[in-house]
Amino acid sequence: MVATAVTVFVVCAVALSRSAVARAAVAQLPNTTGIDGELTAKHAVDRFFSLWIVFNNDDVTMSEKPFTILAPQNNASIQIPQERLTTHPESVKKLLLDHVVLGQKMDLAIGADLSFTTLGGRTVTVRAKQGNLIANGAKVVNLKVDVTNGRLIILDNYLFPEDLLEDHSFLQDMTEVLSFLQNGVRVFQHLLARSNITKLLKQGNLLINGVEVIKGDTPVTRGNIIFISEVLFVNESVVQQLHQQHKDKETPPLLAFPWFGAQFLSHAFLALERNPQFTHVTRFLNMADLAPHISGAGYTFFVPTDEAFNSIGLKHAPDNFLSNGQGLNVLLGHFVKGRLYDRDLADNATFMSLANKTLHIRRIKDNVTVEEANIVQSEVFVYNLGTMFFIDRVLFSGELPEIEMTTTSTTDGAGSSEWTEDGEAATVPDILLEGNEGATSATDGQRTDSVTVTTDAAAAVTTTVPT
């Protein structure tokens, strides 16, 4: 079924960068309760620390391990708008973790070049340059500002400013992952480097094949998950094509009527009711007590057309003609337990019907018959509940009961007729007595004519009217 509601689809990266792995493993943050607003304002890093509110809704704990936070000053060349905390919280969290070292107080005063890994999994390299210490391009303004159980290192800029230029951290992670591979991806890396990745961006949102990313960069072990608003490579025409090719796999709605416990029978009945070729079989089904015999799903129904019923004289048969007794048994002879496909109808194949009668299949090329009835349309799927095959003859029609019609007329010429099958009667219009004046009996002034209608698949209806 075509769904207009948003469908969530998960896109998984083939691998995960080291930074994403580290972020996935983070369950603790440094205990920054000893860093107050007066201190951060004094060293002009209060804007950086205001971003930490992004962790408020996360399930994290405070670690008592020593820590180092490399804090950019307020006048950093790249600024983070406050609304980014709500529009891109994951990228802000990544940014903060890339400025934290948990487990030690870093001492940059030793003067030697050094490298270390942040809580976000990124590598920071500190080198001396023209009398200053430079950490990944950011100048160290203050080597150490000691706080409770930790230390602040004040910088004039962010360590990884490229992360803030555009919201493309997933693309960066992918590039980093490719750089880890020894061979086999050099051509792709070259194309990626030369491509205009910014074409994927629209009004600050990342698009994949024109589909908006709802939430990016959700790292998991050995992978990365991105949530998008629609299924890729699927549109309405594709859905319609798939529906036509796989109608037998579609899940149906639950029907409370006509028969709640017989979903195949209910959906088949409603489908046939909409088709003008099946007015007879639907009226017979409506009156027959089939639900106990055809409960649930997983059936095949060989459905006679109206012409099939007309050819054996049942055009004017009452609706309850096949509702019980031998008539019901004939109707059950058209059902098979099990879901059959056209490929199952091989030459000389046999199937047992619900009337415990064997159905014999003959197949010569594309011509398929069941009990000498031609299949005029194959594989009419009733969702994933079962299959219908339309046939041009009524199966086991030779076993249909006789139809008896009793007519009664009065002296004024008015009359009525009743169809009787196995003792059950239903009133039908009297067409045999129109304009026929008859004698009355001596007792009640009425005359009774008995009409017997014999149905036969090979002959026309025969009527006998005793006088």
Side-chain angles (χ1 to χ4, degrees):
M1 304 171 66
V2 178
T4 57
V6 171
T7 302
V8 177
F9 185 75
V10 180
V11 180
C12 296
V14 294
L16 180 66
S17 66
R18 288 176 294 188
S19 62
V21 171
R23 293 197 306 275
V26 171
Q28 293 182 321
L29 293 176
N31 188 347
T32 58
T33 55
I35 304 176
D36 56 33
E38 183 178 350
L39 178 67
T40 58
K42 175 182 178 181
H43 293 280
V45 293
D46 48 311
R47 183 172 297 173
F48 171 77
F49 279 98
S50 70
L51 302 176
W52 286 76
I53 194 175
V54 75
F55 289 107
N56 276 7
N57 295 326
D58 286 9
D59 185 16
V60 295
T61 59
M62 294 298 173
S63 172
E64 298 305 323
K65 295 179 181 179
F67 63 86
T68 301
I69 296 179
L70 296 97
Q73 289 183 315
N74 296 340
N75 60 356
S77 61
I78 302 296
Q79 298 296 324
I80 302 176
Q82 196 69 19
E83 60 269 16
R84 195 178 181 89
L85 295 175
T86 55
T87 60
H88 299 81
E90 298 303 320
S91 63
V92 176
K93 292 174 187 177
K94 175 184 178 297
L95 173 76
L96 296 176
L97 295 177
D98 287 340
H99 287 76
V100 178
V101 177
L102 189 61
Q104 60 179 317
K105 294 182 180 181
M106 302 296 303
D107 186 3
L108 304 186
I110 58 177
D113 293 351
L114 66 122
S115 296
F116 52 89
T117 302
T118 67
L119 191 56
R122 305 289 287 273
T123 299
V124 177
T125 301
V126 181
R127 291 187 174 91
K129 185 177 181 180
Q130 298 179 353
N132 296 311
L133 290 179
I134 306 297
N136 281 29
K139 179 181 177 182
V140 177
V141 177
N142 194 330
L143 291 176
K144 62 177 180 179
V145 178
D146 288 331
V147 295
T148 305
N149 205 34
R151 174 171 295 165
L152 306 184
I153 296 176
I154 312 300
L155 308 177
D156 71 346
N157 204 357
Y158 287 90
L159 293 173
F160 305 97
E162 66 275 10
D163 288 355
L164 305 175
L165 296 177
E166 292 181 277
D167 185 28
H168 61 155
S169 57
F170 169 69
L171 300 173
Q172 289 182 332
D173 284 347
M174 183 172 64
T175 303
E176 187 175 352
V177 168
L178 294 174
S179 69
F180 297 152
L181 303 179
Q182 296 181 354
N183 52 46
V185 294
R186 291 181 180 177
V187 173
F188 181 72
Q189 284 180 278
H190 176 73
L191 293 175
L192 184 66
R194 294 173 60 86
S195 63
N196 186 5
I197 301 299
T198 57
K199 288 183 178 181
L200 294 174
L201 300 176
K202 182 181 180 181
Q203 297 180 351
N205 296 329
L206 179 64
L207 303 179
I208 299 178
N209 277 26
V211 177
E212 182 179 355
V213 173
I214 296 176
K215 182 179 180 182
D217 282 349
T218 304
V220 295
T221 304
R222 302 178 64 82
N224 194 13
I225 299 175
I226 287 183
F227 295 91
I228 59 180
S229 59
E230 299 176 22
V231 180
L232 295 177
F233 312 110
V234 176
N235 53 34
E236 186 174 353
S237 64
V238 173
V239 171
Q240 290 178 348
Q241 181 181 0
L242 292 173
H243 180 261
Q244 292 298 322
Q245 294 175 350
H246 305 284
K247 285 184 176 180
D248 58 322
K249 297 177 176 62
E250 185 178 6
T251 302
L254 183 64
L255 293 181
F257 67 97
W259 305 280
F260 178 75
Q263 290 297 302
F264 167 75
L265 186 61
S266 296
H267 280 283
F269 176 84
L270 294 180
L272 294 171
E273 196 176 37
R274 293 190 292 268
N275 192 323
Q277 299 182 78
F278 300 101
T279 59
H280 292 325
V281 73
T282 51
R283 64 189 182 91
F284 294 144
L285 288 174
N286 193 41
M287 295 297 293
D289 188 19
L290 287 173
H293 306 278
I294 314 175
S295 60
Y299 295 92
T300 298
F301 185 14
F302 294 96
V303 190
T305 63
D306 281 354
E307 287 300 320
F309 286 104
N310 293 343
S311 67
I312 59 173
L314 296 184
K315 182 175 182 179
H316 298 294
D319 294 353
N320 66 344
F321 179 60
L322 303 180
S323 63
N324 54 49
Q326 190 59 30
L328 179 62
N329 206 46
V330 169
L331 196 55
L332 288 173
H334 293 75
F335 291 88
V336 172
K337 178 61 178 175
R339 188 177 181 183
L340 301 180
Y341 290 81
D342 181 70
R343 62 177 178 268
D344 298 319
L345 305 183
D347 192 32
N348 293 321
T350 59
F351 302 96
M352 186 62 66
S353 72
L354 296 186
N356 291 323
K357 296 182 181 297
T358 303
L359 301 179
H360 299 84
I361 305 297
R362 291 304 309 271
R363 188 180 198 113
I364 302 176
K365 295 184 179 179
D366 294 332
N367 183 42
V368 184
T369 63
V370 51
E371 292 298 304
E372 299 183 357
N374 293 304
I375 295 179
V376 296
Q377 186 170 344
S378 295
E379 290 187 346
V380 180
F381 296 117
V382 184
Y383 295 99
N384 61 2
L385 303 173
T387 313
M388 294 190 293
F389 293 84
F390 299 160
I391 57 178
D392 64 354
R393 297 181 66 177
V394 177
L395 304 181
F396 310 112
S397 59
E399 301 180 14
L400 286 169
E402 289 186 350
I403 305 175
E404 294 185 357
M405 184 178 72
T406 301
T407 64
T408 303
S409 63
T410 62
T411 56
D412 60 2
S416 64
S417 303
E418 293 182 341
W419 289 88
T420 303
E421 185 261 313
D422 286 348
E424 293 194 3
T427 300
V428 296
D430 184 358
I431 60 174
L432 297 178
L433 301 178
E434 288 181 0
N436 185 20
E437 298 292 336
T440 62
S441 67
T443 57
D444 56 8
Q446 295 183 342
R447 182 186 65 193
T448 301
D449 295 329
S450 176
V451 180
T452 302
V453 180
T454 304
T455 61
D456 184 79
V461 177
T462 302
T463 62
T464 302
V465 183
T467 59

